[in-house]
Amino acid sequence: MKAPLLALLIALLGAAPAVADEALIDEGRRLYRDGLRADGTPVEGRRHAGPPLRGRDIACVQCHRPSGLGTVEGVAIAPAITGRHLFSPGQPRAGRRPRQAPGMTLHDHGFRTRPAYDLLALARAMADGIGPGGQALDPLMPRYALTTREVEALAAYLGSLGATPPPGITDEAIHLATVVAPDASPRRRQAMLDVLQHCVAEHGPRPGSERRPWRLHTWKLHGPPPTWPAQLARHLREQPVFALLSGIGREWAPVHEFCEAESLPCLFPNTDAPGPAPRSSIYLSPGVAVEGRVMARYLEDRPRPPRRLVQVFAADDIGRLGAAALAAELPAAARLDLRPGTPPPLLAEGDALALWLPPDALREALATLPPLPAEVLVLVSATLGELERRDETSLGATTLRQLRVVHPFDAPGRRLERMVFNLGGWMSGRGLKLARDTERLQGDTWSACAVTARALYTLDATPSREGLLERVEDAYAGATTTAYPRFTLGPGQRYGSKGAYVMRISADDRLEVEGEWVVP
Amino acid sequence: MPRKPTPLPRSARRIALLALLPLALPAAVRAGEHDHHHHHHHVAAPSSATISRSETRLTLPKVALKTQDGKAVALPELIDDGRPVLLNFTYTSCTAICPPMTRIFAEVQDKLGADRARVRIVSVSIDPEEDTPKRLRDYARQFGAAEPWVFVTGSSAASESVQKAFNAYRPDKMGHTPLTFLRRAPGQPWVRLDGLAQAPQILAELRPMLAP
């Protein structure tokens, strides 16, 4: 009598998303993600013989991640626990056999050899740390005091994780898109597309492999930025995609907001103006915002922080974002914003000048600068001034001893050397050329592709968007050709590079690193 | 892919699921009580549960670090202040291992009671780019860490040289394993505990170091 009932129960659990109601799934979600019970009190548990633990500290999401696909840290493995994984028997790793030695038997991890969980087994695992095969779970797994209803809610939520295939994944292909905004020059757009298209084609699964091929679509935007969201929505409707990969644009806020609203992973676009507080986007660097924060740090570390901040930027260009970041960090300083071309007022001790200007305007501004007291610092955005794209600054400002360039990239010589070494051969093998003015863009694009490719290969047959973001966070080491001296990600991290150098201009008109890489 | 059941009215399916629970529980408990077979020379898959203890001598690199309060500290001085030292490597966005490790240090700190001022506790960030002093401060607060427990960060090179000195360096921080180091006094060997050492085990190492 009981065996058929159990079978039915298992069948129902397998179909948990269809069975469970939304309220139950919501309760499960709060337990899983926040460690909170339905009444808002924290769930309680303990790890090993340790002290009692509560709430977010022992929320499932800590180790099993938002996707439920788990994580690996050293030898600690938090296994995948989505309904599809949990309510079916453990799977040995495909293509791997446990290592054997004479007289020894290696026991594989319990989660790979266990029978399928059912509701009862889940209750026992949560309460006592015993798996469905009777095996003890890893001591990292806490023991929880949960009610039957809570176990049921958890099962319902786990069943819902990854149950609906994400848009852009069909039986035939994984669809990706790259966004090309009209405010990037044709030469730069083409440089990005050349690297990306070759790289995706080469990294994707071979024809005839069991994996779905990757299809890269190019979404070309037209017109002013406010019209981009509607264009993006139309593209997504016509061709659902799993993620946006690389891409190029000077303004990026409309794309950023679109990705956030759609929970669409947007991976490493070539923009210096990332949107604020990303969840779905992972950026190469915080761009001009980090320049502003490093300028602020540099000014704060002076014996006398400035009393007035004079900033020159165009209100319709991305320099405004760096200027805003700098001003936000120095709230005590008075603020004077000037448009390019406006002659600056007489600057006195207690002032600092920040220039967020494109190359020609920057040279013009420096050439027409009135004499400055020696204490007044002039800070220059390397990104706006495109100073990372040339060997010599040509600013004609070497006499201005108080000029500092904030440069959120690796030192030019080191960067170029790495780029030639890691990417030069690949490029020339494809008939492409590394060029001084596009080398950052080309290297960053290749790294975006390589990291995303690694992440895609580690996702299994039913990927989720959250799972993709988590795997990208783990795959950052594939970024060997970025323009940054350090490029690292980790759980929840959204910028690969996090700081900038402060540089002087040497007597022979080259950028020279002053001090250490600054992470503000 | 989720299996598609024969559709039932939602309320009926829900009742069926709930009704099964009390019946299913005893059946599955018995199912779990199966016999275990015993063989010799079993090797378990690697796990953080196994603790291996070793002693090691090492040279601390001379590097500048920053505490969670933004204060500059030099490494040998911070550690060689004469007190016994308890040290680990961690990072604030780490998910599976670091929160339990930090929780265990917090437990040690609490159980030391009046003796806690007689111990230096140091947690070194292995993700210094992300772990600014502010992030470390928030993290320390989250775990109730207080003087003499300091969290330190610094340049990537500084953090790496400390990790290398302790033979704890992994090129990819996600490859790190739980490690606990203890030392009675400068010049003495370090005790290295590989694996997720629990508070009682750490205290068992530490208490004799506090004896006169």
Side-chain angles (χ1 to χ4, degrees):
Chain A
M1 181 63 199
K2 274 168 188 159
L5 273 176
L6 200 60
L8 180 55
L9 174 69
I10 291 165
L12 281 167
L13 278 167
V19 175
D21 63 50
E22 283 303 318
L24 196 63
I25 293 181
D26 279 345
E27 280 184 46
R29 182 183 293 114
R30 286 191 85 188
L31 279 170
Y32 185 93
R33 298 187 74 121
D34 307 318
L36 294 178
R37 298 175 187 277
D39 65 2
T41 58
V43 66
E44 284 162 4
R46 65 179 61 215
R47 193 178 275 121
H48 216 259
L53 302 168
R54 300 150 58 87
R56 209 179 139 78
D57 221 24
I58 48 165
C60 318
V61 72
Q62 288 284 0
C63 300
H64 296 282
R65 315 292 295 122
S67 66
L69 294 176
T71 190
V72 179
E73 276 178 40
V75 295
I77 302 179
I81 54 165
T82 72
R84 191 175 56 81
H85 292 97
L86 207 61
F87 303 125
S88 48
Q91 296 284 330
R93 269 180 91 155
R96 298 242 183 137
R97 293 183 47 194
R99 279 180 204 161
Q100 302 277 343
M104 281 191 183
T105 321
L106 185 100
H107 284 229
D108 204 351
H109 290 282
F111 68 87
R112 293 208 180 102
T113 56
R114 61 162 173 77
Y117 273 87
D118 57 23
L119 212 43
L120 171 93
L122 182 59
R124 190 161 73 140
M126 298 301 288
D128 304 324
I130 307 291
Q135 85 282 12
L137 301 185
D138 192 289
L140 282 170
M141 170 75 184
R143 283 55 171 144
Y144 298 84
L146 297 181
T147 65
T148 306
R149 161 89 184 177
E150 285 165 343
V151 173
E152 204 192 321
L154 204 52
Y157 178 63
L158 296 176
S160 76
L161 280 177
T164 320
I169 296 199
T170 66
D171 289 340
E172 285 74 41
I174 295 181
H175 293 275
L176 306 166
T178 193
V179 168
V180 177
D183 55 5
S185 75
R187 174 174 157 79
R188 296 177 64 74
R189 295 199 301 242
Q190 197 55 48
M192 188 282 289
L193 284 172
D194 283 344
V195 171
L196 188 63
Q197 286 165 348
H198 273 102
C199 181
V200 168
E202 282 178 32
H203 281 73
R206 298 273 76 90
S209 90
E210 284 172 16
R211 292 174 175 274
R212 284 170 280 220
W214 307 344
R215 299 257 178 276
L216 178 68
H217 306 273
T218 302
W219 292 357
K220 283 206 167 86
L221 302 179
H222 306 276
T227 68
W228 297 354
Q231 299 178 48
L232 289 164
R234 198 189 65 237
H235 279 298
L236 189 63
R237 223 173 22 247
E238 288 169 2
Q239 176 56 66
V241 294
F242 185 41
L244 297 188
L245 172 56
S246 191
I248 186 168
R250 191 166 179 92
E251 294 289 347
W252 202 254
V255 188
H256 173 88
E257 282 152 26
F258 179 78
C259 294
E260 296 293 304
E262 294 288 336
S263 298
L264 179 63
C266 294
L267 306 172
F268 311 115
N270 292 293
T271 179
D272 296 309
R279 292 185 316 278
S280 290
S281 288
I282 302 184
Y283 289 103
L284 295 154
S285 142
V288 291
V290 81
E291 288 184 342
R293 291 197 288 270
V294 168
M295 286 181 190
R297 167 66 65 84
Y298 191 81
L299 292 170
E300 278 171 332
D301 287 349
R302 312 260 303 166
R304 286 194 196 160
R307 293 188 298 276
R308 185 171 69 154
L309 211 50
V310 182
Q311 302 203 70
V312 189
F313 59 93
D316 61 353
D317 197 4
I318 61 172
R320 71 183 186 280
L321 302 169
L326 168 53
E329 296 288 316
L330 295 178
R335 184 172 172 178
L336 175 63
D337 295 343
L338 300 173
R339 275 184 308 196
T342 325
L346 219 52
L347 297 175
E349 193 251 315
D351 289 335
L353 177 65
L355 303 176
W356 303 91
L357 296 171
D360 292 342
L362 176 61
R363 263 183 291 280
E364 167 80 18
L366 288 172
T368 56
L369 214 54
L372 295 178
E375 311 79 47
V376 176
L377 273 180
V378 178
L379 299 165
V380 169
S381 156
T383 301
L384 266 288
E386 298 177 8
L387 295 171
E388 91 290 3
R389 295 187 200 170
R390 59 191 81 230
D391 292 319
E392 293 173 359
T393 74
S394 312
L395 288 181
T398 50
T399 52
L400 195 59
R401 295 167 60 103
Q402 58 260 55
L403 187 135
R404 296 290 179 280
V405 174
V406 176
H407 186 272
F409 315 105
D410 203 356
R414 277 205 303 266
R415 192 180 76 227
L416 199 59
E417 203 172 283
R418 189 175 61 238
M419 214 67 96
V420 170
F421 188 81
N422 288 344
L423 191 61
W426 182 88
M427 299 249 329
S428 56
R430 274 118 206 111
L432 304 174
K433 273 204 187 87
L434 262 181
R436 193 66 184 91
D437 63 326
T438 52
E439 144 270 326
R440 162 161 82 101
L441 173 70
Q442 291 166 316
D444 283 350
T445 302
W446 192 90
S447 284
C449 161
V451 169
T452 305
R454 278 191 185 202
L456 283 171
Y457 274 110
T458 59
L459 283 171
D460 67 4
T462 54
S464 66
R465 286 168 160 180
E466 281 177 328
L468 175 65
L469 289 169
E470 292 160 19
R471 298 304 159 99
V472 167
E473 290 165 357
D474 292 351
Y476 65 88
T480 55
T481 59
T482 70
Y484 309 96
R486 293 278 294 174
F487 191 91
T488 62
L489 290 167
Q493 296 186 23
R494 289 292 174 266
Y495 303 101
S497 179
K498 301 157 197 343
Y501 281 116
V502 177
M503 295 190 160
R504 297 166 182 272
I505 297 175
S506 70
D508 60 350
D509 196 32
R510 288 165 194 275
L511 292 175
E512 219 175 51
V513 172
E514 177 190 86
E516 292 198 342
W517 178 252
V518 182
V519 181
Chain B
M1 294 288 127
R3 277 167 280 164
K4 290 256 162 57
T6 321
L8 281 173
R10 168 169 281 207
S11 55
R13 277 183 264 135
R14 180 109 176 80
I15 290 161
L17 180 64
L18 286 175
L20 279 169
L21 270 173
L23 290 173
L25 289 169
V29 165
R30 272 200 299 278
E33 292 165 357
H34 63 80
D35 290 342
H36 293 275
H37 299 277
H38 292 278
H39 303 285
H40 291 291
H41 308 299
H42 284 206
V43 183
S47 141
S48 57
T50 336
I51 310 295
S52 90
R53 181 191 189 280
S54 56
E55 290 193 11
T56 175
R57 286 184 184 273
L58 55 92
T59 309
L60 292 169
K62 289 188 181 11
V63 287
L65 298 170
K66 263 188 180 164
T67 68
Q68 75 263 36
D69 299 316
K71 221 165 55 193
V73 288
L75 183 62
E77 288 76 8
L78 176 74
I79 290 183
D80 291 347
D81 70 356
R83 290 181 283 188
V85 186
L86 174 61
L87 177 143
N88 69 4
F89 295 94
T90 177
Y91 64 102
T92 61
S93 68
C94 159
T95 52
I97 302 179
C98 309
M101 274 170 43
T102 311
R103 195 48 80 196
I104 288 166
F105 267 35
E107 195 187 340
V108 169
Q109 172 190 256
D110 293 345
K111 290 202 169 138
L112 279 171
D115 279 338
R116 72 187 264 183
R118 297 177 55 207
V119 179
R120 167 61 87 191
I121 308 180
V122 182
S123 293
V124 181
S125 169
I126 62 168
D127 188 14
E129 284 288 303
E130 175 73 5
D131 290 341
T132 55
K134 185 189 175 310
R135 275 191 70 109
L136 291 180
R137 199 155 62 235
D138 294 344
Y139 197 70
R141 196 170 297 143
Q142 185 191 332
F143 287 92
E147 189 62 33
W149 182 0
V150 289
F151 285 76
V152 292
T153 184
S155 69
S156 305
S159 169
E160 276 173 24
S161 70
V162 181
Q163 295 170 54
K164 283 175 179 161
F166 281 90
N167 194 11
Y169 178 67
R170 299 277 183 284
D172 181 346
K173 63 181 175 287
M174 291 296 286
H176 78 144
T177 54
L179 288 172
T180 308
F181 291 91
L182 301 106
R183 192 194 62 183
R184 182 194 286 268
Q188 301 275 312
W190 287 85
V191 173
R192 173 186 174 119
L193 302 174
D194 273 277
L196 195 69
Q198 301 294 316
Q201 203 166 355
I202 294 174
L203 285 162
E205 294 283 351
L206 199 53
R207 288 229 161 90
M209 296 182 180
L210 287 166

